[in-house]
Amino acid sequence: MRSGREWFLALVLGVLVVIWGANLTREGARVAQGAVDLREPPRYIVREARWLRTNAEGAPLYRIEAEQLAVYADDRVVIDAPKVKGLGQRDAWSLVAPRGEIPAGSRDLALSGGVDVTGQWGDGQALQARTEQLTVDVTERLLRTAEPVRITGPGRELRSVGLRTDWEAERLDLLDQVQVTYDAG
């Protein structure tokens, strides 16, 4: 038969196991909700970065200026406050976003958090566009999004869901639910 002391130790041990299990459950819920980032820290961080992205032959693709650029062990690059210029021969587009990322194994740049695009219409007039996400597609030399887009310029406003345009701004395709307001006045 067990003594009162043994029962007390067994009770204390049981309570500790219950508390430990509850903490594990709570931590598991935080991980599932994304509150805890289990990824490793970046290999290196560059603050006030200026980066010239090149192709396999070393020719320039585009330039990025950013508050911070972080490179991870899997070669993923996370960019804070990127400003992208130098796309194509004419440098037709300027892109600004709160966040950018080049996923591991990709060469494409994904901009997010509200992307501002500036460029020109075919007639030389300035245009501004806004969308939540935009991909700089290196292989096809396109800017593309499946998100709602608003494009404005003198006497014009266009809205659509989705956009594709080449880096030289020679073709701009609005993909779905297109609305155009034009005032020639």
XYZ file of all heavy atoms in Angstrom, residues 109-165:
428
model
N 9.893 38.052 -59.337
C 9.746 38.912 -58.172
C 8.258 39.112 -57.913
O 7.534 39.607 -58.778
C 10.430 40.256 -58.427
C 10.186 41.375 -57.422
C 10.703 40.996 -56.044
C 10.838 42.664 -57.909
N 7.791 38.728 -56.732
C 6.386 38.907 -56.337
C 6.306 40.118 -55.419
O 6.886 40.120 -54.339
C 5.872 37.656 -55.642
N 5.599 41.155 -55.845
C 5.394 42.366 -55.049
C 4.014 42.283 -54.415
O 3.059 41.813 -55.045
C 5.495 43.604 -55.926
C 6.837 43.806 -56.640
C 6.755 44.948 -57.635
C 7.943 44.047 -55.633
N 3.896 42.777 -53.157
C 2.608 42.673 -52.477
C 2.426 43.803 -51.478
O 3.347 44.554 -51.191
C 2.499 41.321 -51.767
O 3.510 41.196 -50.798
N 1.197 43.891 -50.969
C 0.871 44.880 -49.951
C 0.376 46.192 -50.509
O 0.287 47.177 -49.795
N 0.034 46.222 -51.787
C -0.385 47.455 -52.465
C 0.749 47.945 -53.341
O 1.702 48.541 -52.860
N 0.671 47.649 -54.630
C 1.739 47.969 -55.573
C 1.328 49.178 -56.402
O 0.258 49.196 -57.000
C 2.027 46.772 -56.505
C 3.203 47.087 -57.422
C 2.283 45.499 -55.700
N 2.188 50.195 -56.406
C 1.980 51.380 -57.244
C 2.864 51.268 -58.480
O 4.072 51.034 -58.371
C 2.331 52.653 -56.474
C 1.344 52.930 -55.352
O 0.127 52.789 -55.587
O 1.794 53.270 -54.236
N 2.231 51.459 -59.646
C 2.925 51.345 -60.924
C 2.815 52.686 -61.633
O 1.723 53.254 -61.722
C 2.269 50.247 -61.800
C 2.970 50.123 -63.139
C 2.234 48.914 -61.068
N 3.923 53.200 -62.143
C 3.884 54.401 -62.981
C 4.508 54.068 -64.322
O 5.420 53.248 -64.420
C 4.617 55.597 -62.330
O 5.960 55.227 -62.054
C 3.942 56.030 -61.048
N 3.975 54.710 -65.343
C 4.450 54.503 -66.710
C 3.830 55.531 -67.633
O 3.455 56.625 -67.189
N 3.693 55.164 -68.917
C 3.099 56.062 -69.910
C 2.145 55.290 -70.811
O 2.368 54.131 -71.126
C 4.183 56.686 -70.793
C 5.067 57.648 -70.083
C 6.072 58.289 -71.050
O 6.222 57.867 -72.187
N 6.744 59.313 -70.577
N 1.090 56.003 -71.224
C 0.210 55.482 -72.265
C 0.971 55.511 -73.589
O 2.016 56.150 -73.689
C -1.047 56.351 -72.398
C -1.899 56.406 -71.172
C -1.980 57.439 -70.285
C -2.797 55.412 -70.703
N -2.876 57.142 -69.288
C -3.394 55.905 -69.524
C -3.154 54.153 -71.151
C -4.330 55.172 -68.796
C -4.091 53.433 -70.419
C -4.669 53.933 -69.264
N 0.417 54.894 -74.578
C 1.028 54.902 -75.912
C 1.189 56.296 -76.489
O 2.093 56.554 -77.284
N 0.329 57.247 -76.058
C 0.422 58.626 -76.571
C 1.399 59.484 -75.758
O 1.495 60.684 -75.958
C -0.958 59.281 -76.609
C -1.607 59.422 -75.223
O -0.945 59.122 -74.212
O -2.782 59.820 -75.168
N 2.110 58.861 -74.813
C 3.098 59.591 -74.034
C 2.580 60.186 -72.735
O 3.365 60.689 -71.931
N 1.279 60.164 -72.510
C 0.707 60.692 -71.271
C 1.041 59.762 -70.093
O 1.102 58.547 -70.250
C -0.816 60.818 -71.395
C -1.277 61.823 -72.419
C -1.014 63.244 -71.947
O -1.158 63.560 -70.768
N -0.620 64.101 -72.869
N 1.248 60.351 -68.926
C 1.578 59.577 -67.728
C 0.388 58.729 -67.281
O -0.763 59.120 -67.450
C 1.990 60.518 -66.597
N 0.684 57.578 -66.720
C -0.356 56.741 -66.124
C 0.117 56.249 -64.768
O 1.316 56.126 -64.515
C -0.746 55.563 -67.023
C 0.192 54.369 -67.206
C 0.157 53.411 -66.041
C -0.207 53.621 -68.459
N -0.858 56.009 -63.888
C -0.612 55.399 -62.597
C -1.556 54.216 -62.470
O -2.695 54.290 -62.910
C -0.885 56.369 -61.432
C 0.118 57.488 -61.286
C -0.231 58.670 -62.172
O -1.386 58.983 -62.364
N 0.789 59.303 -62.724
N -1.052 53.153 -61.857
C -1.881 51.972 -61.623
C -1.666 51.517 -60.188
O -0.626 51.776 -59.590
C -1.520 50.860 -62.598
N -2.680 50.830 -59.671
C -2.599 50.316 -58.296
C -3.249 48.939 -58.272
O -4.336 48.734 -58.816
C -3.333 51.251 -57.342
C -3.453 50.742 -55.936
C -2.419 51.361 -55.068
N -2.639 50.958 -53.676
C -1.715 51.025 -52.784
N -0.541 51.507 -53.086
N -1.948 50.637 -51.553
N -2.560 47.990 -57.632
C -3.075 46.646 -57.426
C -2.461 46.098 -56.146
O -1.444 46.604 -55.683
C -2.783 45.726 -58.635
O -3.431 44.468 -58.448
C -1.293 45.522 -58.844
N -3.064 45.088 -55.566
C -2.548 44.529 -54.303
C -1.294 43.685 -54.511
O -0.413 43.680 -53.670
C -3.620 43.705 -53.590
C -4.584 44.545 -52.802
C -3.896 45.440 -51.783
O -3.139 44.932 -50.933
O -4.111 46.663 -51.839
N -1.229 42.954 -55.618
C -0.088 42.079 -55.884
C 0.296 42.188 -57.346
O -0.571 42.364 -58.201
C -0.428 40.627 -55.566
C -0.801 40.385 -54.135
C -1.238 38.947 -53.884
O -1.423 38.158 -54.797
N -1.400 38.601 -52.624
N 1.582 42.050 -57.616
C 2.071 42.109 -58.991
C 3.305 41.233 -59.089
O 4.165 41.270 -58.211
C 2.418 43.551 -59.376
C 2.826 43.785 -60.825
C 1.597 43.734 -61.730
C 3.516 45.128 -60.962
N 3.397 40.462 -60.166
C 4.564 39.608 -60.392
C 5.378 40.155 -61.547
O 4.837 40.462 -62.604
C 4.137 38.160 -60.707
O 3.414 37.657 -59.578
C 5.339 37.269 -60.977
N 6.679 40.283 -61.319
C 7.623 40.622 -62.374
C 8.126 39.277 -62.903
O 8.965 38.624 -62.279
C 8.786 41.491 -61.838
C 9.780 41.790 -62.941
C 8.255 42.776 -61.217
N 7.573 38.862 -64.044
C 7.855 37.561 -64.648
C 9.105 37.694 -65.516
O 9.073 38.326 -66.572
C 6.648 37.117 -65.474
C 6.788 35.738 -66.059
O 7.901 35.357 -66.463
O 5.766 35.041 -66.147
N 10.201 37.099 -65.066
C 11.485 37.246 -65.753
C 11.520 36.441 -67.044
O 12.037 36.914 -68.060
C 12.638 36.831 -64.806
C 13.966 36.786 -65.528
C 12.701 37.781 -63.616
N 10.966 35.250 -67.052
C 11.014 34.381 -68.229
C 10.262 34.994 -69.402
O 10.785 35.059 -70.512
C 10.429 32.993 -67.895
O 11.141 32.451 -66.780
C 10.550 32.059 -69.079
N 9.038 35.456 -69.162
C 8.221 36.018 -70.242
C 8.367 37.524 -70.368
O 7.742 38.127 -71.246
C 6.757 35.625 -70.029
C 6.550 34.130 -70.125
C 5.088 33.755 -70.148
O 4.279 34.513 -70.741
O 4.757 32.704 -69.586
N 9.135 38.142 -69.479
C 9.349 39.595 -69.475
C 8.019 40.338 -69.437
O 7.734 41.200 -70.249
C 10.223 40.014 -70.647
C 11.611 39.363 -70.571
C 12.516 39.726 -71.715
N 12.979 41.094 -71.676
C 13.993 41.549 -70.956
N 14.657 40.744 -70.174
N 14.347 42.813 -71.001
N 7.198 39.946 -68.433
C 5.866 40.513 -68.240
C 5.698 41.019 -66.816
O 6.353 40.539 -65.893
C 4.781 39.448 -68.462
C 4.595 38.865 -69.840
C 3.598 37.717 -69.778
C 4.109 39.932 -70.798
N 4.777 41.953 -66.653
C 4.206 42.288 -65.358
C 2.813 41.692 -65.395
O 2.089 41.874 -66.380
C 4.123 43.803 -65.168
C 5.422 44.587 -65.273
C 5.154 46.073 -65.095
C 6.435 44.100 -64.271
N 2.419 40.985 -64.326
C 1.101 40.351 -64.352
C 0.504 40.288 -62.954
O 1.220 40.214 -61.971
C 1.164 38.965 -64.963
C 2.048 37.993 -64.260
C 2.058 36.621 -64.964
N 3.168 35.818 -64.545
C 3.261 35.165 -63.391
N 2.260 35.221 -62.541
N 4.318 34.467 -63.090
N -0.825 40.343 -62.939
C -1.578 40.152 -61.706
C -2.950 39.593 -62.050
O -3.464 39.829 -63.137
C -1.731 41.469 -60.904
O -2.372 41.176 -59.664
C -2.535 42.513 -61.653
N -3.521 38.865 -61.112
C -4.901 38.383 -61.226
C -5.809 39.183 -60.288
O -6.996 38.897 -60.180
C -4.962 36.896 -60.885
N -5.260 40.175 -59.613
C -5.980 41.009 -58.657
C -6.670 42.181 -59.364
O -6.307 42.544 -60.480
C -5.003 41.573 -57.618
C -4.306 40.527 -56.791
C -5.244 39.816 -55.850
O -6.107 40.473 -55.241
O -5.103 38.585 -55.714
N -7.634 42.828 -58.697
C -8.223 44.050 -59.250
C -7.145 45.123 -59.465
O -6.219 45.259 -58.662
C -9.225 44.484 -58.177
C -9.581 43.213 -57.466
C -8.311 42.408 -57.457
N -7.305 45.855 -60.562
C -6.345 46.901 -60.939
C -7.122 48.168 -61.272
O -8.174 48.112 -61.920
C -5.534 46.481 -62.189
C -4.558 47.575 -62.603
C -4.817 45.182 -61.980
N -6.590 49.307 -60.857
C -7.134 50.614 -61.234
C -6.022 51.388 -61.914
O -4.940 51.555 -61.345
C -7.622 51.366 -60.004
C -8.201 52.732 -60.342
C -8.778 53.385 -59.089
N -9.333 54.674 -59.431
C -8.799 55.828 -59.047
N -7.717 55.856 -58.294
N -9.359 56.970 -59.404
N -6.276 51.848 -63.138
C -5.288 52.599 -63.917
C -5.876 53.967 -64.218
O -7.004 54.067 -64.714
C -4.950 51.879 -65.241
C -4.488 50.450 -64.965
C -3.896 52.658 -66.018
C -4.355 49.602 -66.215
N -5.117 55.015 -63.931
C -5.597 56.374 -64.185
C -4.543 57.169 -64.949
O -3.355 56.855 -64.923
C -5.909 57.112 -62.870
O -4.730 57.178 -62.076
C -7.017 56.426 -62.093
N -5.011 58.183 -65.610
C -4.169 59.130 -66.325
C -5.043 60.289 -66.752
O -6.255 60.278 -66.508
N -4.466 61.294 -67.386
C -5.265 62.452 -67.796
C -6.485 62.040 -68.637
O -6.337 61.454 -69.707
C -4.287 63.279 -68.622
C -2.934 62.851 -68.144
C -3.072 61.405 -67.770
N -7.690 62.286 -68.093
C -8.933 62.011 -68.812
C -9.290 60.537 -68.930
O -10.185 60.192 -69.700
N -8.634 59.662 -68.198
C -8.887 58.225 -68.342
C -8.875 57.525 -66.990
O -8.100 57.864 -66.107
C -7.802 57.565 -69.183
C -7.567 58.194 -70.489
C -6.273 57.702 -71.072
N -5.628 58.824 -71.728
C -4.742 58.710 -72.673
N -4.353 57.537 -73.071
N -4.220 59.776 -73.228
N -9.735 56.540 -66.886
C -9.705 55.629 -65.755
C -10.139 54.262 -66.246
O -11.164 54.127 -66.908
C -10.624 56.083 -64.627
C -10.602 55.134 -63.449
C -11.449 55.579 -62.279
O -11.888 56.739 -62.238
O -11.679 54.730 -61.404
N -9.351 53.260 -65.938
C -9.648 51.889 -66.313
C -9.608 51.035 -65.065
O -8.753 51.226 -64.200
C -8.610 51.344 -67.310
C -8.588 51.963 -68.689
C -7.795 53.239 -68.697
C -8.016 50.995 -69.680
N -10.533 50.099 -64.988
C -10.556 49.129 -63.891
C -10.712 47.752 -64.514
O -11.439 47.589 -65.493
C -11.716 49.396 -62.944
C -11.582 50.682 -62.162
C -12.806 50.889 -61.264
N -12.723 52.140 -60.565
C -12.251 52.299 -59.343
N -11.805 51.261 -58.671
N -12.216 53.476 -58.776
N -10.036 46.798 -63.915
C -10.186 45.419 -64.375
C -9.771 44.477 -63.256
O -9.204 44.895 -62.250
C -9.334 45.149 -65.621
O -7.972 44.993 -65.280
N -10.062 43.227 -63.467
C -9.535 42.177 -62.612
C -8.511 41.456 -63.469
O -8.847 40.805 -64.447
C -10.639 41.216 -62.125
C -10.034 40.073 -61.324
C -11.680 41.966 -61.305
N -7.261 41.667 -63.130
C -6.158 41.056 -63.870
C -5.572 41.982 -64.916
O -6.271 42.807 -65.506
N -4.260 41.850 -65.075
C -3.525 42.673 -66.031
C -2.275 41.920 -66.454
O -1.686 41.173 -65.664
C -3.125 43.985 -65.346
C -2.108 44.871 -66.054
C -2.591 46.302 -66.036
C -0.746 44.777 -65.407
N -1.894 42.116 -67.702
C -0.612 41.636 -68.239
C -0.058 42.733 -69.126
O -0.777 43.277 -69.955
C -0.786 40.381 -69.079
C -1.092 39.138 -68.307
C -1.423 37.972 -69.225
N -0.424 37.745 -70.240
C 0.387 36.703 -70.277
N 0.313 35.793 -69.348
N 1.256 36.554 -71.239
N 1.210 43.039 -68.950
C 1.862 43.994 -69.834
C 3.325 43.604 -69.982
O 3.934 43.083 -69.052
C 1.731 45.449 -69.332
O 2.318 46.324 -70.294
C 2.392 45.656 -67.988
